[in-house]
Amino acid sequence: MLSSKIRNISYAMPIVLIGASGLILISRGMHNSWGLFLIPMTDHLNVGREIYSIGISLNVLFSGLGAPLFGALADKYGPGKSILVGVILQIISQYWLSNVSNSFDLIGSLLLGGFAAAGFIGIAMAAVGRSVNPQNRSLFVGLVMASGGLGQFLITPLMSGIIQNSGWLTAVYLLMFFSSLLLIFSYLISFSKDTNSDSNSIKQTVSEAFKEAVKNKNFNLLTLGFFVCGFHVTFIGSHFPAYLQDQGLASIAGWSLGLLGLFNVFGTTMYGFLGDRMSKKNLLVSIYTFRSLIFLIFIFMPKNEFTVMAFAGILGLLWLSTVPLTSGVISDIFGPSFTSMLFGITLFSHNLGSALGSWLGGRIFDQYQSYDVMWIACVALGLLAALLHYPIKGAAIHRINVNPVTS
């Protein structure tokens, strides 16, 4: 097969990088646009913000539930096939959303869309990690994740303009078009190395790899800390545009998310570069600590165009920077063989936090007509995550009674 031949030649790696970058660019750009639909869709259905928040919560929750499943499928059958299934399901979910007429349709379509996109990030990270030199793994993973920020910068303002000028339904049709482009990138990413192509790979079953990970204290701390990352990014992504509208700053909602994405390009690349040269867990501690400080400062700042855009830019440096570092720690500890599945497990924790951040934001606002409690929660949880990451040791585990793969 063509893909088998290409894996063995020098230009396989750039093909995988293009495929993974395109996948992350479009999928993250679409995902970070959901907050723009909150007010127009709740107005269309004449429901409160909590209903939409529940839909986004289930979206990210089922994305977390599906991540280990799609990751295991990718490890067994190849990343391209696993992503292909997800893309088809995502297009179906978006078609359902375009025909929404009640709360069930809204929640159901968002739920299906979350499950469909479950494996995108983890599979892309693992495919890149297996296809590049291990000494530069964090840098390349960081570069690929940076494309997610670029997608947010390009797609979010575009979606905002379309919603304002042509309505939310036209914007959903555009999402379907973007999803169809992912079919191309699912093919390109299939040229990554096989799971066990590394001579140092270990013969393990999925069950053995899972049991090994969940018994590892470092993995559990990493997974718990990633919960906070999900809480932060989904609360901001889902509710920040509505928060700005409440502050009389609706005109910059799309651009603030776009600027956040643009600065994420620099932040993720920087932390990916540093991850190959410094302790990844210490870098994670710094990210969560800085996030808490930024949230705390923002609480007391006057809200105007300058302060909002400054907040978005600084936060963008820390936005998805956790992903290459978290993925890198997992690969450092367990090796590359089951990275898709293991990162999927940590991503499930991330998405539990995302679900809570989205739902709780809507619940608290509907009850108090304010997001103040949520901002305070973001500060406290960021400090907790920093404490959880501090004792992590990222050294490779020593395996016994497990035979290495022989050629």
Side-chain angles (χ1 to χ4, degrees):
M1 300 224 5
L2 176 62
S3 60
S4 298
K5 294 178 181 179
I6 290 181
R7 288 192 193 100
N8 298 321
I9 57 182
S10 59
Y11 55 82
M13 189 263 282
I15 290 176
V16 174
L17 290 177
I18 292 171
S21 297
L23 176 73
I24 298 297
L25 186 150
I26 293 177
S27 63
R28 295 307 301 174
M30 291 192 296
H31 176 80
N32 287 298
S33 298
W34 285 123
L36 301 170
F37 289 86
L38 189 156
I39 291 179
M41 294 202 75
T42 52
D43 287 347
H44 171 72
L45 296 175
N46 194 28
V47 295
R49 293 186 187 181
E50 186 179 4
I51 294 296
Y52 189 85
S53 299
I54 290 172
I56 295 296
S57 295
L58 292 174
N59 175 282
V60 295
L61 178 61
F62 274 78
S63 182
L65 287 169
L69 172 61
F70 278 95
L73 290 174
D75 289 331
K76 187 172 181 62
Y77 298 107
K81 294 177 181 177
S82 183
I83 291 172
L84 175 62
V85 173
V87 171
I88 293 172
L89 290 175
Q90 182 164 273
I91 293 173
I92 293 172
S93 75
Q94 290 164 348
Y95 178 77
W96 186 3
L97 185 64
S98 70
N99 291 278
V100 65
S101 61
N102 52 52
S103 297
F104 174 80
D105 288 338
L106 176 61
I107 292 173
S109 60
L110 291 173
L111 183 156
L112 178 60
F115 179 76
F120 289 171
I121 293 180
I123 294 171
M125 296 301 96
V128 171
R130 288 194 295 265
S131 301
V132 301
N133 190 313
Q135 282 70 39
N136 297 313
R137 183 177 289 143
S138 290
L139 173 60
F140 280 107
V141 170
L143 287 171
V144 170
M145 280 309 303
S147 67
L150 182 60
Q152 184 172 341
F153 174 70
L154 296 173
I155 293 176
T156 304
L158 174 63
M159 299 302 295
S160 177
I162 290 175
I163 290 171
Q164 292 178 21
N165 296 310
S166 303
W168 65 268
L169 182 59
T170 302
V172 173
Y173 291 146
L174 183 58
L175 291 179
M176 295 174 64
F177 170 73
F178 284 141
S179 292
S180 67
L181 296 179
L182 296 180
L183 296 171
I184 299 172
F185 298 115
S186 71
Y187 176 69
L188 296 180
I189 208 172
S190 68
F191 297 133
S192 68
K193 291 182 179 179
D194 294 328
T195 300
N196 293 317
S197 60
D198 189 338
S199 60
N200 295 320
S201 292
I202 301 298
K203 280 185 176 178
Q204 283 182 302
T205 65
V206 170
S207 175
E208 289 170 343
F210 174 80
K211 290 177 181 178
E212 180 181 62
V214 297
K215 291 179 181 178
N216 186 283
K217 182 186 74 171
N218 300 304
F219 180 80
N220 291 330
L221 289 172
L222 192 70
T223 301
L224 287 172
F226 214 31
F227 173 95
V228 176
C229 181
F231 186 95
H232 284 165
V233 300
T234 303
F235 165 64
I236 297 295
S238 299
H239 293 279
F240 198 53
Y243 172 79
L244 293 180
Q245 182 162 328
D246 296 338
Q247 301 293 319
L249 298 168
S251 62
I252 63 169
W255 285 109
S256 65
L257 291 180
L259 186 67
L260 191 155
L262 178 63
F263 275 78
N264 175 73
V265 174
F266 303 111
T268 306
T269 303
M270 177 184 69
Y271 276 101
F273 175 82
L274 293 175
D276 289 322
R277 292 158 178 80
M278 299 173 63
S279 166
K280 296 180 182 66
K281 69 97 174 179
N282 286 342
L283 291 171
L284 286 166
V285 170
S286 71
I287 288 173
Y288 287 109
T289 301
F290 288 146
R291 279 190 189 178
S292 289
L293 292 175
I294 292 165
F295 288 133
L296 183 62
I297 293 170
F298 186 67
I299 290 173
F300 297 103
M301 289 174 64
K303 307 304 183 293
N304 54 51
E305 288 84 353
F306 174 78
T307 58
V308 167
M309 298 301 273
F311 167 75
I314 297 171
L315 184 61
L317 295 174
L318 312 169
W319 191 243
L320 295 178
S321 304
T322 58
V323 175
L325 298 174
T326 301
S327 176
V329 172
I330 292 171
S331 186
D332 289 345
I333 295 174
F334 300 103
S337 294
F338 287 94
T339 304
S340 295
M341 182 191 70
L342 297 181
F343 183 76
I345 295 171
T346 62
L347 194 60
F348 174 59
S349 174
H350 180 282
N351 287 16
L352 284 175
S354 296
L356 183 62
S358 174
W359 168 74
L360 201 57
R363 176 67 175 174
I364 286 176
F365 182 86
D366 282 352
Q367 184 167 353
Y368 299 107
Q369 298 299 298
S370 170
Y371 287 112
D372 289 349
V373 174
M374 290 298 295
W375 290 114
I376 295 172
C378 285
V379 174
L381 287 173
L383 295 175
L384 175 61
L387 291 174
L388 288 172
H389 281 83
Y390 185 75
I392 291 176
K393 294 178 174 62
I397 62 173
H398 176 66
R399 293 185 174 95
I400 57 175
N401 299 325
V402 180
N403 296 321
V405 174
T406 58
S407 56

